[in-house]
Amino acid sequence: MAAAHDSVHDPGPLRELSDLAISAGADVCGVFIAVRAKPVAATFMGKGKAEELGEMAANYHATVVIFDHAISPVQERNIERIVQCRVLDRSGLILDIFAQRATSSEGKLQVELAQLKHLSTRLVRGWTHLERQKGGIGLRGPGESQLETDRRLIGARIKTLTGRLGKVEAQRSLRRRARHRTPIPTVSLVGYTNAGKSSLFNAITGSDVRVENNLFTTLDATMRRVELPGFGPIVLSDTVGFVRQLPHTLVAAFHSTLEEVASATCLLLVSDVSDPDHLELGCHVQQVLDEIGAKGIPVIHVNNKIDLTGDTVKTIQYNGQQRVDKIWLSAETGAGVEFVQQALAALLSQEHRYYLINLKPQAGALRSKLFTRCEVINEEVDESGAITMKVKMQPAVRGWLESQRQYDGLWDQIADAETDAAIEGMTDGMTIK
């Protein structure tokens, strides 16, 4: 396989391309670098470089050439004529890996949808004979070329898959709303692919999620309930890893899966500190988080694989606002994993406040909403039917409560406190000023 220069041990993004190719099951025999101010419309690279690439592919007896960029179907076809072997771009390679890794029915649907959208623009490249209309005695069709028929069939299949994924997304949304009705925060593990998210997930939950030293081992979100010492139950979610230049078709197909990240209470951003480019990779992850609507969610940075760097276990690092910022650990050896639990308990505890709230007798609907959106510690009903509730809620829920105009005049906040112990001393006779 030719990927990009004459050394397989290439730095930076080209090393990542080699890792992606190996994850797809290929043997990387060489890489090739061509530098231009802007791509050539016909062959992406210059004619001389394309011929040089063809010679290199012939010398290595390569069966496929992979480009570290998105190339058009026309460019693919023209380059194939020169190098005399199959040509793939970065998106096609990642789609192939996802197709190999998908195990759940939803994951298979998502990958097939992304593949068909990618293939629909490349039928001319793969099936040039289908451009001709059928002819001859007994072979005359309805005037539609085979290529047009294939495009129509692919379009119909895409429509079918989109509908099925819509139903799956609706079911996932219902399950997500059901989880949100219980006062249990959700924490999602995110990060670059092969950063050790699944290993950390297993170390925290005691599960046996599949772990391999490979890119995109995890495609389907896995969730487990965990008891955090000093806090209580949380739901921990292991999600698909990110990668530089993740194809937009995959982002769209995995929209419902990525929504689990966007709706999380907190994110654990896992980085492989043994990778010299881990800071740059972290920036790529942050860009993807911004794209899927996860901007603004509290993040704890977990620097994993310190066993490979010879570093010692470090304690929790806080930022200037005294919020948990970074943790150093090794998910493989278990060293420092307890810091994650401590950090999560500290962060999630900061996200809650305790309130005493008075409800009018006719505020039954609001009472029901409070039970679904926050944790009700206690409630008392007086002789008039008014209800005093002691609740624990996040600032976002408090903001929601204040924004609900249909409940104006039906509730009063009596008092608030930082901790449950502080609110114990508050009297029912206090009124809000």
Side-chain angles (χ1 to χ4, degrees), residues 243-254:
V243 71
R244 184 175 58 89
Q245 298 176 17
L246 191 66
H248 290 290
T249 50
L250 274 179
V251 174
F254 279 75

Side-chain angles (χ1 to χ4, degrees), residues 5-65:
H5 186 49
D6 243 352
S7 170
V8 177
H9 305 287
D10 50 301
L14 294 184
R15 185 191 61 206
E16 178 186 277
L17 182 66
S18 297
D19 291 341
L20 286 170
I22 293 171
S23 297
D27 295 324
V28 180
C29 58
V31 294
F32 184 88
I33 297 176
V35 180
R36 283 189 68 90
K38 62 179 181 178
V40 178
T43 56
F44 191 77
M45 61 178 64
K47 182 179 179 181
K49 282 293 183 181
E51 292 175 351
E52 186 179 342
L53 176 62
E55 294 176 0
M56 180 179 175
N59 292 335
Y60 281 119
H61 304 287
T63 57
V64 61
V65 171

Side-chain angles (χ1 to χ4, degrees), residues 11 83 134 144 170 220 303 307 350 356 366:
V83 301
K134 296 178 182 177
E144 182 180 44
D220 305 303
N303 295 324
D307 55 309
Q350 291 177 357
L356 281 177
L366 176 55

Side-chain angles (χ1 to χ4, degrees), residues 110-318:
Q110 291 167 326
V111 171
E112 184 182 355
L113 177 61
Q115 283 182 313
L116 287 177
K117 288 182 177 179
H118 185 72
L119 177 64
S120 62
T121 62
R122 285 162 165 75
L123 285 176
V124 176
R125 177 195 63 80
W127 304 97
T128 53
H129 66 284
L130 299 182
E131 294 172 336
R132 308 185 188 95
Q133 292 188 352
K134 296 178 182 177
I137 297 174
L139 294 176
R140 289 185 177 88
E144 182 180 44
S145 69
Q146 184 62 45
L147 177 60
E148 291 168 340
T149 300
D150 279 14
R151 281 177 175 161
R152 176 168 50 79
L153 292 175
I154 285 181
R157 181 60 177 168
I158 288 176
K159 185 176 180 180
T160 300
L161 290 175
T162 302
R164 292 173 63 181
L165 276 175
K167 293 179 180 179
V168 172
E169 186 170 344
Q171 294 170 356
R172 184 184 288 274
S173 180
L174 285 174
R175 292 195 297 268
R176 190 182 299 118
R177 285 201 296 268
R179 289 199 306 271
H180 288 174
R181 283 197 292 268
T182 59
I184 301 179
T186 301
V187 177
S188 289
L189 286 161
V190 297
Y192 216 72
T193 181
N194 206 32
K197 297 183 299 299
S198 295
S199 297
L200 181 59
F201 181 84
N202 289 340
I204 295 175
T205 64
S207 303
D208 56 352
V209 172
R210 179 184 173 192
V211 175
E212 288 183 9
N213 186 22
N214 241 333
L215 305 186
F216 296 119
T217 300
T218 302
L219 287 189
D220 305 303
T222 305
M223 298 186 179
R224 295 289 187 274
R225 179 179 171 128
V226 181
E227 289 288 336
L228 281 185
F231 178 80
I234 65 168
V235 173
L236 188 64
S237 172
D238 184 20
T239 60
V240 61
F242 301 146
V243 71
R244 184 175 58 89
Q245 298 176 17
L246 191 66
H248 290 290
T249 50
L250 274 179
V251 174
F254 279 75
H255 177 71
S256 60
T257 303
L258 295 174
E259 274 189 349
E260 297 291 348
V261 176
S263 63
T265 309
C266 171
L267 301 179
L268 290 177
L269 203 165
V270 184
S271 300
D272 176 6
V273 292
S274 66
D275 190 327
D277 300 320
H278 70 275
L279 294 178
E280 179 186 352
L281 301 183
C283 294
H284 292 307
V285 172
Q286 192 60 57
Q287 290 175 1
V288 177
L289 291 175
D290 294 345
E291 289 178 9
I292 64 177
K295 188 176 183 179
I297 299 177
V299 176
I300 297 176
H301 296 267
V302 179
N303 295 324
N304 189 25
K305 302 189 182 182
I306 62 171
D307 55 309
L308 300 181
T309 65
D311 201 356
T312 57
V313 177
K314 300 179 181 179
T315 57
I316 303 171
Q317 177 179 317
Y318 295 85

